[in-house]
Tab-separated table of all heavy atoms in Angstrom:
chain	number	residue	atom	x	y	z
A	886	PHE	N	131.395	-93.272	110.826
A	886	PHE	CA	132.439	-92.495	111.402
A	886	PHE	C	132.727	-91.232	110.571
A	886	PHE	O	132.939	-90.077	111.097
A	886	PHE	CB	133.740	-93.219	111.511
A	886	PHE	CG	133.704	-94.392	112.511
A	886	PHE	CD1	133.065	-95.574	112.257
A	886	PHE	CD2	134.145	-94.205	113.848
A	886	PHE	CE1	132.905	-96.585	113.230
A	886	PHE	CE2	133.977	-95.194	114.816
A	886	PHE	CZ	133.413	-96.390	114.501
A	887	VAL	N	132.675	-91.327	109.299
A	887	VAL	CA	133.105	-90.171	108.461
A	887	VAL	C	131.873	-89.457	107.932
A	887	VAL	O	131.797	-88.176	108.001
A	887	VAL	CB	133.946	-90.641	107.227
A	887	VAL	CG1	134.359	-89.479	106.374
A	887	VAL	CG2	135.204	-91.421	107.659
A	888	LEU	N	130.957	-90.114	107.377
A	888	LEU	CA	129.764	-89.489	106.764
A	888	LEU	C	129.003	-88.531	107.704
A	888	LEU	O	128.603	-87.417	107.241
A	888	LEU	CB	128.847	-90.597	106.202
A	888	LEU	CG	127.769	-90.192	105.197
A	888	LEU	CD1	127.451	-91.356	104.258
A	888	LEU	CD2	126.543	-89.690	105.770
A	889	PRO	N	128.893	-88.931	108.985
A	889	PRO	CA	128.071	-88.016	109.825
A	889	PRO	C	128.809	-86.545	109.936
A	889	PRO	O	128.068	-85.591	110.164
A	889	PRO	CB	128.121	-88.735	111.208
A	889	PRO	CG	128.218	-90.213	110.876
A	889	PRO	CD	129.108	-90.208	109.589
A	890	VAL	N	130.083	-86.537	109.840
A	890	VAL	CA	130.692	-85.258	109.839
A	890	VAL	C	130.227	-84.347	108.768
A	890	VAL	O	129.909	-83.098	108.934
A	890	VAL	CB	132.257	-85.437	109.733
A	890	VAL	CG1	132.935	-84.048	109.735
A	890	VAL	CG2	132.776	-86.246	110.831
A	891	PHE	N	129.942	-85.004	107.601
A	891	PHE	CA	129.404	-84.210	106.437
A	891	PHE	C	127.958	-83.950	106.598
A	891	PHE	O	127.444	-82.954	106.176
A	891	PHE	CB	129.875	-84.939	105.089
A	891	PHE	CG	131.338	-85.094	104.978
A	891	PHE	CD1	131.886	-86.348	104.491
A	891	PHE	CD2	132.178	-84.040	105.286
A	891	PHE	CE1	133.222	-86.477	104.425
A	891	PHE	CE2	133.510	-84.325	105.150
A	891	PHE	CZ	134.098	-85.485	104.706
A	892	THR	N	127.324	-84.905	107.141
A	892	THR	CA	125.835	-84.660	107.372
A	892	THR	C	125.677	-83.357	108.234
A	892	THR	O	124.825	-82.542	107.921
A	892	THR	CB	125.210	-85.847	108.244
A	892	THR	OG1	125.117	-86.974	107.348
A	892	THR	CG2	123.823	-85.600	108.725
A	893	PHE	N	126.488	-83.209	109.232
A	893	PHE	CA	126.392	-82.053	110.014
A	893	PHE	C	127.013	-80.737	109.367
A	893	PHE	O	126.402	-79.719	109.515
A	893	PHE	CB	127.060	-82.199	111.379
A	893	PHE	CG	126.598	-83.417	112.156
A	893	PHE	CD1	127.489	-84.303	112.728
A	893	PHE	CD2	125.295	-83.676	112.277
A	893	PHE	CE1	127.025	-85.394	113.508
A	893	PHE	CE2	124.822	-84.800	112.962
A	893	PHE	CZ	125.678	-85.633	113.571
A	894	SER	N	128.066	-80.953	108.697
A	894	SER	CA	128.832	-79.727	108.256
A	894	SER	C	128.805	-79.504	106.730
A	894	SER	O	129.047	-78.389	106.301
A	894	SER	CB	130.264	-79.765	108.825
A	894	SER	OG	131.062	-80.689	108.090
A	895	GLN	N	128.753	-80.517	105.917
A	895	GLN	CA	128.796	-80.419	104.447
A	895	GLN	C	127.709	-81.388	103.894
A	895	GLN	O	128.147	-82.420	103.295
A	895	GLN	CB	130.226	-80.782	103.995
A	895	GLN	CG	131.324	-80.068	104.589
A	895	GLN	CD	131.715	-78.841	103.952
A	895	GLN	OE1	131.220	-78.460	102.826
A	895	GLN	NE2	132.637	-78.113	104.491
A	896	PRO	N	126.492	-81.071	103.982
A	896	PRO	CA	125.509	-82.046	103.600
A	896	PRO	C	125.531	-82.638	102.118
A	896	PRO	O	125.312	-83.749	101.916
A	896	PRO	CB	124.123	-81.337	103.862
A	896	PRO	CG	124.472	-80.241	104.732
A	896	PRO	CD	125.964	-79.883	104.571
A	897	LYS	N	126.109	-81.738	101.219
A	897	LYS	CA	126.174	-82.210	99.866
A	897	LYS	C	127.185	-83.388	99.827
A	897	LYS	O	126.964	-84.312	98.986
A	897	LYS	CB	126.783	-81.060	98.978
A	897	LYS	CG	125.668	-80.083	98.630
A	897	LYS	CD	126.177	-79.170	97.527
A	897	LYS	CE	125.204	-78.028	97.369
A	897	LYS	NZ	125.762	-76.748	97.191
A	898	LEU	N	128.234	-83.322	100.520
A	898	LEU	CA	129.193	-84.372	100.537
A	898	LEU	C	128.619	-85.662	101.099
A	898	LEU	O	128.806	-86.816	100.695
A	898	LEU	CB	130.444	-84.072	101.289
A	898	LEU	CG	131.307	-82.797	100.806
A	898	LEU	CD1	132.536	-82.652	101.638
A	898	LEU	CD2	131.638	-82.948	99.339
A	899	ALA	N	127.784	-85.504	102.179
A	899	ALA	CA	127.140	-86.604	102.811
A	899	ALA	C	126.172	-87.320	101.741
A	899	ALA	O	126.138	-88.488	101.603
A	899	ALA	CB	126.441	-86.201	104.060
A	900	ARG	N	125.512	-86.468	101.110
A	900	ARG	CA	124.512	-86.971	100.057
A	900	ARG	C	125.254	-87.822	99.069
A	900	ARG	O	124.824	-88.867	98.607
A	900	ARG	CB	123.760	-85.820	99.419
A	900	ARG	CG	122.601	-86.260	98.511
A	900	ARG	CD	121.988	-85.002	97.891
A	900	ARG	NE	120.773	-85.433	97.128
A	900	ARG	CZ	120.808	-86.118	95.956
A	900	ARG	NH1	121.939	-86.368	95.421
A	900	ARG	NH2	119.706	-86.367	95.375
A	901	ASN	N	126.346	-87.271	98.614
A	901	ASN	CA	127.172	-88.064	97.551
A	901	ASN	C	127.563	-89.427	98.042
A	901	ASN	O	127.423	-90.448	97.372
A	901	ASN	CB	128.484	-87.340	97.220
A	901	ASN	CG	128.266	-86.155	96.301
A	901	ASN	OD1	127.173	-85.986	95.664
A	901	ASN	ND2	129.270	-85.316	96.148
A	902	LEU	N	127.904	-89.473	99.246
A	902	LEU	CA	128.318	-90.747	99.892
A	902	LEU	C	127.126	-91.727	99.990
A	902	LEU	O	127.344	-92.955	99.778
A	902	LEU	CB	129.061	-90.513	101.177
A	902	LEU	CG	130.345	-89.806	101.195
A	902	LEU	CD1	130.805	-89.470	102.603
A	902	LEU	CD2	131.463	-90.554	100.347
A	903	LEU	N	126.030	-91.158	100.360
A	903	LEU	CA	124.870	-92.075	100.503
A	903	LEU	C	124.322	-92.504	99.095
A	903	LEU	O	123.939	-93.710	98.945
A	903	LEU	CB	123.682	-91.297	101.217
A	903	LEU	CG	123.888	-91.084	102.678
A	903	LEU	CD1	122.868	-90.101	103.257
A	903	LEU	CD2	123.869	-92.350	103.447
A	904	MET	N	124.488	-91.663	98.176
A	904	MET	CA	124.192	-92.082	96.781
A	904	MET	C	125.014	-93.175	96.269
A	904	MET	O	124.532	-93.975	95.447
A	904	MET	CB	124.173	-90.803	95.852
A	904	MET	CG	123.108	-89.794	95.998
A	904	MET	SD	121.427	-90.575	95.909
A	904	MET	CE	121.349	-90.947	94.189
A	905	TYR	N	126.345	-93.204	96.762
A	905	TYR	CA	127.124	-94.300	96.272
A	905	TYR	C	126.501	-95.706	96.719
A	905	TYR	O	126.427	-96.551	95.950
A	905	TYR	CB	128.505	-94.155	97.020
A	905	TYR	CG	129.347	-95.378	97.008
A	905	TYR	CD1	130.082	-95.842	95.853
A	905	TYR	CD2	129.440	-96.195	98.132
A	905	TYR	CE1	130.754	-96.982	95.853
A	905	TYR	CE2	130.190	-97.381	98.119
A	905	TYR	CZ	130.849	-97.723	96.990
A	905	TYR	OH	131.681	-98.943	97.101
A	906	ARG	N	125.973	-95.682	97.902
A	906	ARG	CA	125.293	-96.908	98.410
A	906	ARG	C	124.001	-97.199	97.585
A	906	ARG	O	123.708	-98.278	97.204
A	906	ARG	CB	125.024	-96.838	99.874
A	906	ARG	CG	126.254	-96.787	100.730
A	906	ARG	CD	127.131	-98.007	100.637
A	906	ARG	NE	128.116	-98.067	101.703
A	906	ARG	CZ	128.922	-99.120	101.897
A	906	ARG	NH1	128.897	-100.080	101.125
A	906	ARG	NH2	129.805	-99.025	102.922
A	907	TYR	N	123.265	-96.080	97.307
A	907	TYR	CA	122.087	-96.243	96.546
A	907	TYR	C	122.354	-96.847	95.151
A	907	TYR	O	121.669	-97.759	94.790
A	907	TYR	CB	121.283	-94.870	96.433
A	907	TYR	CG	120.028	-94.966	95.639
A	907	TYR	CD1	118.947	-95.482	96.241
A	907	TYR	CD2	120.029	-94.680	94.338
A	907	TYR	CE1	117.687	-95.601	95.545
A	907	TYR	CE2	118.821	-94.829	93.515
A	907	TYR	CZ	117.726	-95.271	94.146
A	907	TYR	OH	116.548	-95.458	93.417
A	908	HIS	N	123.349	-96.276	94.534
A	908	HIS	CA	123.682	-96.801	93.172
A	908	HIS	C	124.206	-98.220	93.295
A	908	HIS	O	124.147	-98.917	92.208
A	908	HIS	CB	124.761	-95.875	92.531
A	908	HIS	CG	124.237	-94.510	92.167
A	908	HIS	ND1	123.124	-94.366	91.342
A	908	HIS	CD2	124.600	-93.346	92.442
A	908	HIS	CE1	122.888	-93.044	91.159
A	908	HIS	NE2	123.746	-92.420	91.807
A	909	ASN	N	124.637	-98.629	94.353
A	909	ASN	CA	125.161	-100.003	94.449
A	909	ASN	C	124.110	-100.996	95.086
A	909	ASN	O	124.477	-102.093	95.565
A	909	ASN	CB	126.471	-100.011	95.245
A	909	ASN	CG	127.567	-99.549	94.368
A	909	ASN	OD1	127.633	-99.866	93.162
A	909	ASN	ND2	128.469	-98.680	94.900
A	910	LEU	N	122.885	-100.616	95.145
A	910	LEU	CA	121.839	-101.493	95.701
A	910	LEU	C	121.796	-102.845	94.942
A	910	LEU	O	121.509	-103.879	95.512
A	910	LEU	CB	120.482	-100.808	95.664
A	910	LEU	CG	120.023	-100.073	96.954
A	910	LEU	CD1	118.818	-99.185	96.626
A	910	LEU	CD2	119.827	-101.087	98.097
A	911	ALA	N	122.042	-102.787	93.636
A	911	ALA	CA	122.057	-104.052	92.888
A	911	ALA	C	122.989	-105.047	93.410
A	911	ALA	O	122.697	-106.202	93.523
A	911	ALA	CB	122.360	-103.697	91.361
A	912	GLY	N	124.222	-104.636	93.752
A	912	GLY	CA	125.227	-105.504	94.339
A	912	GLY	C	124.715	-106.067	95.621
A	912	GLY	O	124.938	-107.246	96.002
A	913	ALA	N	124.114	-105.209	96.429
A	913	ALA	CA	123.561	-105.630	97.804
A	913	ALA	C	122.432	-106.662	97.611
A	913	ALA	O	122.326	-107.620	98.361
A	913	ALA	CB	123.126	-104.387	98.606
A	914	ARG	N	121.561	-106.516	96.607
A	914	ARG	CA	120.541	-107.412	96.354
A	914	ARG	C	121.100	-108.724	95.926
A	914	ARG	O	120.632	-109.764	96.259
A	914	ARG	CB	119.539	-106.829	95.321
A	914	ARG	CG	118.654	-105.695	95.952
A	914	ARG	CD	117.871	-104.891	94.984
A	914	ARG	NE	117.140	-103.892	95.646
A	914	ARG	CZ	116.806	-102.668	95.200
A	914	ARG	NH1	117.255	-102.363	94.012
A	914	ARG	NH2	116.183	-101.846	95.979
A	915	HIS	N	122.143	-108.590	95.080
A	915	HIS	CA	122.711	-109.809	94.633
A	915	HIS	C	123.304	-110.572	95.763
A	915	HIS	O	123.199	-111.818	95.798
A	915	HIS	CB	123.917	-109.461	93.513
A	915	HIS	CG	124.584	-110.597	93.043
A	915	HIS	ND1	125.921	-110.650	93.103
A	915	HIS	CD2	124.097	-111.721	92.479
A	915	HIS	CE1	126.251	-111.870	92.608
A	915	HIS	NE2	125.251	-112.487	92.197
A	916	LYS	N	123.988	-109.880	96.693
A	916	LYS	CA	124.602	-110.579	97.799
A	916	LYS	C	123.490	-111.311	98.648
A	916	LYS	O	123.757	-112.460	99.058
A	916	LYS	CB	125.416	-109.620	98.563
A	916	LYS	CG	126.141	-110.392	99.798
A	916	LYS	CD	127.096	-109.558	100.573
A	916	LYS	CE	127.610	-110.356	101.751
A	916	LYS	NZ	128.466	-109.718	102.676
A	917	ALA	N	122.434	-110.589	98.896
A	917	ALA	CA	121.333	-111.194	99.655
A	917	ALA	C	120.832	-112.454	98.973
A	917	ALA	O	120.750	-113.543	99.563
A	917	ALA	CB	120.196	-110.205	99.855
A	918	GLN	N	120.593	-112.327	97.714
A	918	GLN	CA	120.081	-113.556	96.935
A	918	GLN	C	121.041	-114.640	96.953
A	918	GLN	O	120.678	-115.831	97.206
A	918	GLN	CB	119.762	-113.053	95.505
A	918	GLN	CG	118.816	-113.882	94.793
A	918	GLN	CD	118.646	-113.439	93.392
A	918	GLN	OE1	119.484	-112.778	92.792
A	918	GLN	NE2	117.438	-113.735	92.834
A	919	ALA	N	122.350	-114.286	96.754
A	919	ALA	CA	123.324	-115.434	96.711
A	919	ALA	C	123.440	-116.124	98.044
A	919	ALA	O	123.821	-117.237	98.086
A	919	ALA	CB	124.666	-114.780	96.287
A	920	ASN	N	122.962	-115.394	99.124
A	920	ASN	CA	123.111	-116.024	100.418
A	920	ASN	C	121.734	-116.627	100.879
A	920	ASN	O	121.594	-117.084	102.032
A	920	ASN	CB	123.616	-115.056	101.479
A	920	ASN	CG	125.183	-114.895	101.276
A	920	ASN	OD1	125.932	-115.672	101.843
A	920	ASN	ND2	125.505	-113.914	100.472
A	921	GLY	N	120.763	-116.577	99.896
A	921	GLY	CA	119.487	-117.214	100.333
A	921	GLY	C	118.603	-116.191	101.139
A	921	GLY	O	117.632	-116.669	101.848
A	922	TYR	N	118.839	-114.893	101.041
A	922	TYR	CA	117.947	-113.984	101.680
A	922	TYR	C	117.282	-113.073	100.799
A	922	TYR	O	117.516	-113.083	99.578
A	922	TYR	CB	118.835	-113.126	102.735
A	922	TYR	CG	119.605	-113.947	103.728
A	922	TYR	CD1	121.002	-113.905	103.752
A	922	TYR	CD2	118.985	-114.832	104.517
A	922	TYR	CE1	121.777	-114.682	104.584
A	922	TYR	CE2	119.733	-115.643	105.362
A	922	TYR	CZ	121.047	-115.575	105.408
A	922	TYR	OH	121.791	-116.338	106.321
A	923	GLU	N	116.353	-112.191	101.284
A	923	GLU	CA	115.693	-111.280	100.432
A	923	GLU	C	116.269	-109.858	100.687
A	923	GLU	O	117.107	-109.638	101.580
A	923	GLU	CB	114.223	-111.278	100.920
A	923	GLU	CG	113.492	-112.558	100.625
A	923	GLU	CD	112.063	-112.518	101.195
A	923	GLU	OE1	111.786	-112.723	102.342
A	923	GLU	OE2	111.138	-112.225	100.347
A	924	GLY	N	115.773	-108.896	99.856
A	924	GLY	CA	116.247	-107.456	100.094
A	924	GLY	C	117.634	-107.222	99.704
A	924	GLY	O	118.186	-107.884	98.807
A	925	ALA	N	118.269	-106.290	100.462
A	925	ALA	CA	119.606	-105.800	100.106
A	925	ALA	C	120.546	-106.057	101.249
A	925	ALA	O	120.224	-105.524	102.358
A	925	ALA	CB	119.527	-104.330	99.820
A	926	MET	N	121.549	-106.725	101.052
A	926	MET	CA	122.618	-107.109	102.040
A	926	MET	C	123.942	-106.489	101.581
A	926	MET	O	124.522	-107.067	100.593
A	926	MET	CB	122.653	-108.610	102.099
A	926	MET	CG	123.632	-109.178	103.111
A	926	MET	SD	123.779	-110.945	102.779
A	926	MET	CE	124.654	-111.535	104.161
Side-chain angles (χ1 to χ4, degrees):
F886 292 81
V887 182
L888 196 153
V890 176
F891 301 135
T892 290
F893 303 135
S894 75
Q895 309 270 353
K897 280 190 190 137
L898 300 182
R900 188 183 186 283
N901 283 346
L902 297 172
L903 289 169
M904 287 304 292
Y905 164 77
R906 294 297 192 174
Y907 179 80
H908 289 303
N909 283 318
L910 267 168
R914 287 174 180 143
H915 177 237
K916 181 174 176 185
Q918 202 181 23
N920 285 275
Y922 304 120
E923 297 177 277
M926 178 192 192

